[in-house]
Amino acid sequence: MLDVETIRGRFPALGRRKNGQSVAYFDGPAGSQVPESVAEAVAWYLLHTNANCGAPFATSRETDATLASARRAMSDLLGNDDPDEIAFGPNMTTLTFSVSRTLSQNWQPGDEIIVSRLDHDANFTPWVLAAERAGATVRFIDVHSEDCTLDQESYTNALSEKTRLVAIGLASNAAGTINPVAKMAEQAQSVGALVYVDAVHAAPHQRMDVRSLRCDFLVCSAYKFFGPHVGILWGKRELLETLLPDKLRPAPMSVPGKWMTGTQNHEGIAGVEAAVDYLAAIGGSPDEAPRRERLNRAFEEIGRHERQLSDHFLRGLLGLPQFQVWGITDGSRLGERVPTFSLTHSSKTPRELSEQLAEQGLFTWSGNHYALPFTETLGLEPNGTLRVGCLHYNTIEEVDRLLESLRAIGASPRRHA
Ligand SMILES: Cc1ncc(COP(=O)(O)O)c(C=O)c1O
């Protein structure tokens, strides 16, 4: 059982209050809160070992060691064996633009790429723009509107010997759907296409293993998994080595340096390792088991707790018929989703709902959440959805408070015309 009370004690932000009541953070999909240990690692780096990389003096050597150690931590989180396959960058979007520009140097008219209509725009527009520039054709994976899963038939139909790349999300940041990436990657491989996985939304919720996902690249962002604002790119070594990203002449030609343009956010990278260690500690102390094993246990416990939150929230929503849930609602299918929910109300806009919830200290998001392909496809523009996202530090009591507020707000008359 996840010890949620102890966990919550590690996050100073969770002690915040509004009008004498604790606030509840359901805004995790836009960025998680950070445990004290992560902030301490960032501060320690800045106060004691701040330097640029590659010089023979102590702080520079320590900085090199910090980056190498953070790469090992990310390898443990992502399940790859070679830490040099891990590159850091400002965020997932910037890294994806870089990979898309680089890969598309080899595309030409007649080539095709596949993107999904369930994805965040950061795993959509960079590929569409790159394809347009190369004269390649873009094909789309559709979404089933009834449960917001990917339409596998449209994927199979889009896939062919012409496909050069398939870009898919591991979990949707709007509907919470977990996509069957391993199966889809296997299909892509059978026609020789590369697979680029956006794991930004999945990272705080599920154990990742790039080998069993069978992808070629995977990207995530530490600020979604309790760390600082740093993006992370994993790619197979032979691809990272042979591809030619734009880089400055004095910058290294070796991996992963050639993918890391400019000076990195060293303090943030120190915090990335601390975030992985925070997660691993949920699965036990370092003297009990290696980090990978502890991460396995941690994500089992996190998953169990999060499914309870999902179950509780979805059951509660059954009594609120003015709300529509966009995504999987079937209690027997909770393993196919993370606890991220997109809702619409029969008369109130998502923004109105989010504003009223904020007044009660319940932090949610409204709009398209940058999952514009999704909101456009399901006819949810221009208002988008109310997004409620749970992380493992959320509690059943918070979900009850949210349901109570949704009940009251949902039934009250509109404030604006
Ligand atoms: C699923 C998903 N992909 C990509 C991104 C973009 O990540 P970043 O902010 O690191 O560029 C986000 C951010 O919200 C996201 O939720």
Side-chain angles (χ1 to χ4, degrees):
M1 282 288 285
L2 196 68
D3 181 356
V4 182
E5 270 324 296
T6 305
I7 281 171
R8 288 179 66 84
R10 301 195 176 122
F11 290 81
L14 300 185
R16 189 183 182 107
R17 297 179 83 77
K18 181 173 168 62
N19 303 334
Q21 212 181 5
S22 296
V23 308
Y25 293 87
F26 292 109
D27 65 334
S32 58
Q33 298 307 314
V34 168
E36 214 155 8
S37 56
V38 168
E40 280 167 4
V42 172
W44 174 268
Y45 174 82
L46 285 172
L47 297 174
H48 300 285
T49 62
N50 194 18
N52 217 327
C53 302
F57 52 86
T59 49
S60 181
R61 285 186 193 280
E62 282 159 20
T63 295
D64 290 337
T66 298
L67 265 63
S69 186
R71 273 193 202 104
R72 286 194 293 277
M74 279 311 301
S75 284
D76 286 347
L77 189 70
L78 301 182
N80 70 307
D81 290 325
D82 180 356
D84 284 347
E85 292 177 331
I86 302 282
F88 296 107
N91 48 54
M92 177 276 186
T93 304
T94 307
L95 288 166
T96 302
F97 268 117
S98 166
V99 179
S100 64
R101 273 195 301 266
T102 308
L103 278 177
S104 61
Q105 290 163 6
N106 302 321
W107 299 347
Q108 55 192 27
D111 287 342
E112 296 184 357
I113 66 155
I114 301 180
V115 293
S116 109
R117 298 194 194 276
L118 187 57
D119 266 74
H120 189 283
D121 208 47
N123 201 29
F124 187 95
T125 290
W127 302 112
V128 172
L129 291 177
E132 273 170 15
R133 288 191 195 115
T137 303
V138 183
R139 302 216 171 269
F140 302 91
I141 312 173
D142 293 327
V143 180
H144 293 296
S145 57
E146 65 279 11
D147 62 359
C148 301
T149 54
L150 290 179
D151 177 347
Q152 294 299 328
E153 203 179 318
S154 71
Y155 175 54
T156 313
N157 291 341
L159 203 59
S160 78
E161 300 292 328
K162 296 183 204 153
T163 313
R164 304 295 305 275
L165 175 103
V166 177
I168 23 174
L170 187 48
S172 155
N173 72 315
T177 321
I178 298 172
N179 296 318
V181 166
K183 186 180 130 243
M184 295 172 77
E186 197 177 346
Q187 287 172 271
Q189 272 165 0
S190 72
V191 297
L194 295 176
V195 176
Y196 188 90
V197 172
D198 172 2
V200 171
H201 192 66
H205 301 292
Q206 71 179 82
R207 187 73 172 112
M208 291 182 290
D209 179 347
V210 290
R211 282 171 306 196
S212 56
L213 286 172
R214 307 182 70 135
C215 50
D216 298 286
F217 298 95
L218 181 142
V219 261
C220 56
S221 256
Y223 74 97
K224 310 283 190 180
F225 60 85
F226 319 104
H229 291 87
V230 174
I232 298 118
L233 164 72
W234 166 83
K236 283 185 178 156
R237 182 183 261 274
E238 64 268 26
L239 288 167
L240 296 182
E241 269 174 354
T242 50
L243 290 165
L244 294 172
D246 288 339
K247 64 172 268 307
L248 303 185
R249 288 176 299 160
M253 256 318 280
S254 55
V255 294
K258 76 193 243 203
W259 291 91
M260 297 178 27
T261 44
T263 306
Q264 296 296 312
N265 175 357
H266 299 159
E267 59 274 24
I269 293 170
V272 170
E273 177 172 4
V276 175
D277 280 333
Y278 158 74
L279 282 164
I282 294 174
S285 62
D287 50 332
E288 283 173 47
R291 188 160 51 195
R292 285 183 192 221
E293 257 175 58
R294 292 184 292 120
L295 284 166
N296 290 343
R297 279 190 229 153
F299 278 103
E300 268 171 37
E301 290 185 26
I302 287 171
R304 207 173 302 127
H305 176 66
E306 289 187 351
R307 283 190 293 279
Q308 280 170 3
L309 296 175
S310 289
D311 189 53
H312 198 73
F313 186 55
L314 288 170
R315 277 176 202 274
L317 282 175
L318 287 176
L320 306 178
Q322 312 99 316
F323 288 93
Q324 176 171 357
V325 182
W326 296 86
I328 293 168
T329 53
D330 181 346
S332 66
R333 293 178 61 197
L334 296 182
E336 293 172 57
R337 62 143 49 252
V338 295
T340 301
F341 303 93
S342 259
L343 312 178
T344 47
H345 182 265
S346 49
S347 62
K348 296 194 172 185
T349 65
R351 179 74 193 188
E352 284 172 74
L353 296 166
S354 187
E355 277 172 8
Q356 287 187 258
L357 290 168
E359 285 167 19
Q360 299 173 26
L362 299 165
F363 296 178
T364 61
W365 272 89
S366 62
N368 59 38
H369 324 295
Y370 274 38
L372 192 59
F374 168 76
T375 50
E376 281 176 338
T377 301
L378 294 190
L380 292 166
E381 284 297 312
N383 294 321
T385 66
L386 172 75
R387 183 176 65 183
V388 170
C390 296
L391 288 168
H392 66 275
Y393 51 57
N394 289 112
T395 64
I396 295 281
E397 292 71 33
E398 286 180 328
V399 172
D400 275 335
R401 246 181 84 198
L402 176 67
L403 284 165
E404 202 36 60
S405 294
L406 286 174
R407 185 189 316 280
I409 294 168
S412 66
R414 292 189 73 192
R415 285 183 187 174
H416 318 291

